[in-house]
Amino acid sequence: QVQLVESGGGLVQAGGSLRLSCAASGRTITNYAMGWFRQAPGKQREFVAVQTRSGGSTLYEDSVKGRFTISRDSAKGTVYLQMNGLKPEDTAVYYCAARKIALLSTMVSAYDYWGQGTQVTVSS
């Protein structure tokens, strides 16, 4: 089992940047595909980005392509989401998730472990 703790959220103006971190403990993150999801008020949780266990492949939701980058430091057991060019519509609680199966997935139900989330608010 792995425990996930997100950090790095906050309030930023449109066009600004934030870097979210997800610290994993309990098991090495090389055992998991690692993803980021977000949930805005009144909306369902949605996929943002995912990276394979090796870090060799990534997948992004269309609206964040070219602006967000997922990466990992396996030695530190940490996954990152670099967010540039933030827009008000990016405002949400962002969640880190781990999937035991190696295949990439954009589905919430495919992930086995979740963090508690970190709030990102982008002002216009």
Side-chain angles (χ1 to χ4, degrees), residues 1-105:
Q1 188 165 351
V2 63
Q3 292 78 43
L4 306 173
V5 178
E6 302 96 333
S7 62
L11 174 64
V12 64
Q13 288 187 331
S17 299
L18 284 174
R19 188 177 80 157
L20 305 183
S21 298
C22 172
S25 62
R27 296 289 299 274
T28 174
I29 60 173
T30 55
N31 291 330
Y32 304 95
M34 299 298 297
W36 286 95
F37 290 76
R38 64 187 180 187
Q39 187 166 17
K43 294 187 177 181
Q44 291 187 334
R45 193 169 298 188
E46 66 175 9
F47 167 75
V48 175
V50 62
Q51 187 176 64
T52 53
R53 293 188 295 190
S54 67
S57 294
T58 57
L59 187 65
Y60 295 94
E61 194 271 329
D62 286 345
S63 70
V64 308
K65 285 180 182 177
R67 300 189 298 124
F68 291 10
T69 303
I70 186 172
S71 63
R72 64 172 67 196
D73 184 333
S74 296
K76 294 183 178 179
T78 303
V79 179
Y80 304 99
L81 185 68
Q82 178 66 44
M83 305 187 295
N84 299 328
L86 283 162
K87 305 175 181 180
E89 51 264 43
D90 294 319
T91 295
V93 177
Y94 282 71
Y95 297 90
C96 175
R99 184 173 195 232
K100 292 185 286 188
I101 297 176
L103 296 176
L104 297 178
S105 176

